[in-house]
Every structure is written in C-alpha cells, then in structure tokens.
Amino acid sequence: QTVVTQEPSLTVSPGGTVTLTCASSTGAVTSGYYPNWFQQKPGHAPRPLIYRSSNKHPWTPARFSGSILGGKAALTLSAVQPEDEADYYCLLFQGGVWVFGGGTKLTVL
Amino acid sequence: QVQLVQSGAEVRKPGASVKVSCKASAYTFSNYGISWVRQAPGQGLEWMGWISAYDGDTNYPQKFQGRLSVTTDTYTSTAYMELRDLISDDTALYYCVRDYNYIMDYWGQGTLVTVSS
C-alpha cells in the first residue's frame, strides 16, 4: 500500500512564505504522478488549487504555486493571508490509482 | 457554471448498502470522468474509485474492490456510487468530483452517510 506523506502541521506569519511538501513511499515524485493540491476549510468541500504539479485553476490566487522540489511535490504560499489558514491535501497518481496525502494543517499566526 | 449536486444524507444499519447520486450540469457529461472521495469525521480524504462517463471504464483501489460500484447514466448526466456490506468505519462524507486528464476540478457538496445500529 503506497503512502503519501505531508507535514502534519505548519505555522506561518501573515505576509510570510511557506512551502508544503508531498512525498511518496515509492520514491521520488515526478510530473508523472500528476500532483494535485486542494485547500479545505472547516465545513466545506475541498477547493482545488493546483493540478499537474504546477498548473493553476482559474480561481486559484496568484500567491499559490506548485512545483516538484527535491523529489517531492510542493505547494508554496507567498504573502500569506489570514484566510489561507486551512487544511491542505496533495493527491498523487501512482500505481494506476489516486492516493491522497494525510493533509497539512496550516496555521497563520 | 459547472455543478455537481449530490443526493441527501443517508442512515444505514451495518451490513446494508447505500447508493449516492451525483447530477452534473453545465458541461458535456460524457466527455469527463467522475471520481468518488470520502472523508470520515475529523479525518483526511480517501479516493474510492473512478468511472469514465464516456465508456463506463472503472478504476478502484484494492481496498474497495468487490464492495463498491460506480456507474453513470449519460441520459440524465448522473453518476452513482453504491457501497455494500457497510460497517461503522464507512460513516463519512462522500464527494463526487469531476476527474479528467489527471485533473480533479469540480466537487459535489458532499453526502453524509451514517452507519449505525
């Protein structure tokens, strides 16, 4: 069973920059894992942010960016706003199936 | 605008089955796939399976094979998820998601399924 690992929690100051990562137990994450990133706030459905590593949806704020960094998928938030406090999930396609990471709880403090 | 509207909350006893619907609008249903994702209370997201609305091709992770069926009705632009032999751990919010070319974009509002004796 493939495991996708994210930081359980991160804290960032308003206006700061933070990078969330997404690692696979099978090895280095590549573009062929088609990473997707989602933001979820309490009581709401997940909101897609990034697809295929680095592509933004029309509604994705410019301060969010995706990349492959050091063998992991990465989501970078720049100029963080208080409303960015949320849970963030990555999703990888590996072994012919989708696997979600466990999520990162981002606190803006 | 693209919308996925799911059926209402369900309560089932252990061992029963549940079928959740997901009606799509404002796009050509048969050109895309639908994934199903669930979230147990206070837990993370779990991908359950995918179906192509074009040809009915399906893909399930091993965990759900034999217990899960996802289907579509292209005439009504509706996808269905049926989960059998329910246990208490199946209590969760179930989402349908438009899924094509490795992109998950539009999500339904979620359907709460409660399994309790």
Side-chain angles (χ1 to χ4, degrees), chain B:
Chain B
Q1 69 283 18
V2 172
Q3 274 196 305
L4 298 174
V5 178
Q6 299 182 222
S7 48
E10 303 273 11
V11 179
R12 294 287 185 274
K13 293 188 183 304
S17 299
V18 69
K19 191 170 187 176
V20 177
S21 68
C22 168
K23 184 169 176 58
S25 61
Y27 73 94
T28 304
F29 184 69
S30 58
N31 285 354
Y32 296 81
I34 293 285
S35 268
W36 289 88
V37 174
R38 74 179 184 179
Q39 186 170 35
Q43 302 302 308
L45 302 171
E46 180 176 31
W47 179 73
M48 299 179 67
W50 171 88
I51 184 167
S52 164
Y54 175 72
D55 60 9
D57 187 26
T58 55
N59 184 17
Y60 304 112
Q62 191 169 8
K63 174 177 180 176
F64 292 104
Q65 288 179 8
R67 202 163 72 93
L68 175 67
S69 294
V70 294
T71 56
T72 58
D73 180 342
T74 53
Y75 293 102
T76 60
S77 298
T78 303
Y80 297 93
M81 184 282 299
E82 183 177 28
L83 190 60
R84 299 176 290 276
D85 300 322
L86 292 168
I87 60 175
S88 58
D89 286 352
D90 293 319
T91 294
L93 198 51
Y94 289 76
Y95 293 101
C96 60
V97 191
R98 194 174 78 164
D99 178 359
Y100 72 108
N101 286 346
Y102 306 100
I103 304 167
M104 286 198 193
D105 52 9
Y106 292 92
W107 290 61
Q109 83 276 19
T111 297
L112 180 62
V113 175
T114 303
V115 183
S116 173
S117 55

